[in-house]
């Protein structure tokens, strides 16, 4: 084997290992649990709502979601965000039923 082949194989194996470690760290970050509930940060909430973190900050400012502070970070329980989503879905369903009458 020449040096280029050895380097290429080393690079491929190392890249795969780094990707695996990255995915593991991502899962650990997302799996901080408080009691029975998952704890999310602003970026996790934005991803769950398919919006920007700026929009999440606006929802906080309006009081639509609250979360809690831990140091300088604002965190949210997954159940709180799920309740927010459920409320929005229910309001949307009620509006569409009103329009059908």
């Amino acid at each position: 084997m020449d040096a280029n082949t050895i380097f290429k194989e080393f690079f491929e194996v190392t890249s795969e290992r780094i990707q695996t470690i990255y995915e593991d760290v991502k899962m650990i970050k997302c799996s901080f649990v408080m009691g029975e509930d998952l704890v999310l940060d602003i970026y996790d909430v934005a991803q769950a709502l398919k919006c920007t973190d700026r929009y999440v900050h606006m929802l906080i400012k309006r009081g639509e979601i609250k979360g809690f502070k831990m140091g300088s970070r604002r965190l949210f329980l997954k159940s709180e965000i799920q309740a927010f989503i459920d409320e929005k879905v229910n309001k949307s369903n009620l509006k569409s039923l009103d329009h059908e009458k």
Side-chain angles (χ1 to χ4, degrees):
M1 263 193 211
D2 68 338
N4 284 337
T5 305
I6 293 170
F7 178 75
K8 184 177 179 181
E9 287 179 15
F10 173 77
F11 181 76
E12 288 172 1
V13 169
T14 304
S15 293
E16 289 172 12
R17 287 184 180 159
I18 289 172
Q19 185 63 33
T20 301
I21 292 168
Y22 172 75
E23 293 299 324
D24 290 345
V25 168
K26 203 162 111 177
M27 286 300 294
I28 290 168
K29 176 193 169 279
C30 292
S31 64
F32 175 56
V33 177
M34 182 174 255
E36 296 283 320
D37 215 344
L38 196 63
V39 177
L40 308 172
D41 65 14
I42 294 265
Y43 304 103
D44 296 327
V45 173
Q47 189 175 12
L49 297 177
K50 302 203 181 328
C51 66
T52 64
D53 57 318
R54 191 178 212 172
Y55 184 74
V56 174
H57 285 286
M58 185 191 69
L59 293 173
I60 295 165
K61 198 172 203 175
R62 282 198 231 158
E64 293 187 47
I65 58 176
K66 292 186 188 215
F68 59 96
K69 296 277 281 192
M70 185 174 284
S72 62
R73 296 179 67 196
R74 181 162 302 271
L75 301 172
F76 306 84
L77 295 178
K78 182 181 176 189
S79 58
E80 176 189 1
I81 302 307
Q82 188 60 55
F84 170 77
I85 293 169
D86 292 345
E87 179 186 328
K88 293 294 183 186
V89 168
N90 289 338
K91 281 184 181 178
S92 177
N93 288 342
L94 288 174
K95 284 182 184 177
S96 65
L97 288 174
D98 287 342
H99 288 291
E100 290 177 6
K101 290 182 180 180

